[in-house]
Amino acid sequence: MRKKGFHAAAGQYVFIQIPNVRFFEWHPFTLTSSPEEDYISVHMRVVGDWTEAVAQRCGMGTDLEFQPRHRMPSIFIDGPFGTCSEDIFKHEVGMAIGTGIGVTPFASILKSCWYQSLEPNKYTSMKLKKVYFFWICPETEAFEWFQSLLSNIEQQMVETGNTDFIEYNIYLTRGWDFKTAHQIYMREEDDGDAITGLQQKTKFGRPNWDEIFPEIARQHPGNEVGVFYCGPKALSKTLHQKCNEHSKNGMQFLYNKENF
């Protein structure tokens, strides 16, 4: 549940402390819930001593029993704090690009974009009309939690006849074996993707930005596109260069980044 008086914008993050685990440690987590929802959520990957201890306290594990609410550890939250990603609502066209766990801020943003698009009379200040979402994953395990969000949005877009609002592209850069490749081949003609189960097929390899930027420029001539990236610094430099390179003839790609 959302605590009374707590207000957060899409894409923001908080610091979390759990005294029963480490009294003096605060850890940052991006909110994966949207402002339109009546609760707040974060997704925590169990890697390292602190997250493993949190998982055990909550009863998460193969040989543990999930704890009822009254036995859960107390959680202290500091925040929320802003990031550049929340500025995507200031543009008519947005590109959201996440690499690996860098996709986390876009969980909140994509949900908020969708909720606001359903009630344009209520959210009159929202300028956003088109979102291009790119998720670059190093391994198939990374799809698990975010796939359910995309599946839900995909279903709602079909039900409301608004399938053009969010266009998403998922890239798998590595992490497949012979068994996975065989499964993909056997299901090539299926409507859904063999890996994610989504209607949009997973692409293999890395995005060709020299094709993607000109195509978006062609679709939105003379427009201003907000480009928002979250992930390692290596790709950030490339995206910044592409934004500058393809900002011409009245077209502008405005670059914003968050480095993990």
Side-chain angles (χ1 to χ4, degrees):
M1 293 292 291
R2 185 189 299 273
K3 190 174 180 63
K4 185 177 180 181
F6 183 91
H7 302 285
Q12 292 189 319
Y13 67 96
V14 296
F15 282 91
I16 290 180
Q17 182 207 40
I18 303 179
N20 288 345
V21 176
R22 299 284 191 279
F23 189 81
F24 293 107
E25 290 188 19
W26 291 83
H27 295 264
F29 289 92
T30 302
L31 293 171
T32 53
S33 53
S34 74
E36 295 77 20
E37 294 172 319
D38 61 356
Y39 61 89
I40 60 172
S41 66
V42 300
H43 280 69
M44 186 182 299
R45 186 181 181 187
V46 181
V47 179
D49 295 342
W50 189 83
T51 51
E52 288 177 358
V54 172
Q56 289 182 351
R57 288 283 184 178
C58 295
M60 298 175 64
T62 55
D63 57 345
L64 297 173
E65 182 179 349
F66 192 77
Q67 297 297 311
R69 182 177 178 181
H70 68 277
R71 292 185 179 178
M72 286 287 190
S74 298
I75 299 175
F76 292 85
I77 295 177
D78 185 19
F81 301 97
T83 66
C84 66
S85 299
E86 62 189 275
D87 290 339
I88 193 171
F89 298 97
K90 298 178 181 178
H91 303 275
E92 289 190 2
V93 182
M95 290 177 65
I97 305 166
T99 302
I101 62 170
V103 75
T104 312
F106 299 121
S108 172
I109 288 170
L110 289 179
K111 285 194 287 185
S112 189
C113 288
W114 177 246
Y115 286 133
Q116 293 190 37
S117 73
L118 294 177
E119 299 183 86
N121 294 330
K122 180 178 179 181
Y123 301 101
T124 55
S125 61
M126 174 172 153
K127 297 174 62 178
L128 200 58
K129 296 179 180 178
K130 179 72 175 183
V131 179
Y132 294 93
F133 173 61
F134 299 87
W135 186 16
I136 306 162
C137 285
E139 54 192 15
T140 56
E141 287 77 8
F143 289 125
E144 293 176 359
W145 72 272
F146 203 75
Q147 179 271 343
S148 60
L149 166 64
L150 291 179
S151 179
N152 186 42
I153 292 177
E154 187 176 67
Q155 181 180 353
Q156 292 183 54
M157 286 195 299
V158 172
E159 291 175 353
T160 58
N162 192 13
T163 55
D164 293 331
F165 179 63
I166 298 176
E167 181 179 313
Y168 58 92
N169 302 270
I170 301 175
Y171 293 82
L172 183 62
T173 58
R174 62 176 188 269
W176 64 85
D177 52 19
F178 177 80
K179 182 179 179 181
T180 304
H182 180 70
Q183 182 183 13
I184 294 167
Y185 174 77
M186 295 299 294
R187 296 183 57 185
E188 180 64 26
E189 301 301 323
D190 292 358
D191 292 334
D193 183 66
I195 296 178
T196 64
L198 298 168
Q199 293 299 310
Q200 178 67 43
K201 298 286 188 177
T202 298
K203 300 176 176 67
F204 296 90
R206 301 182 184 278
N208 186 341
W209 301 112
D210 287 324
E211 292 182 357
I212 292 170
F213 276 89
E215 177 58 23
I216 292 177
R218 188 184 69 80
Q219 294 285 345
H220 308 278
N223 214 320
E224 192 178 82
V225 179
V227 180
F228 297 86
Y229 169 71
C230 187
K233 292 181 179 180
L235 180 56
S236 177
K237 183 178 179 180
T238 298
L239 289 172
H240 199 174
Q241 290 174 343
K242 297 303 177 185
C243 285
N244 294 336
E245 182 181 330
H246 294 283
S247 293
K248 54 188 176 182
N249 301 324
M251 186 76 193
Q252 278 194 305
F253 289 94
L254 303 179
Y255 185 64
N256 305 267
K257 67 176 181 178
E258 295 177 45
N259 293 133
F260 272 24

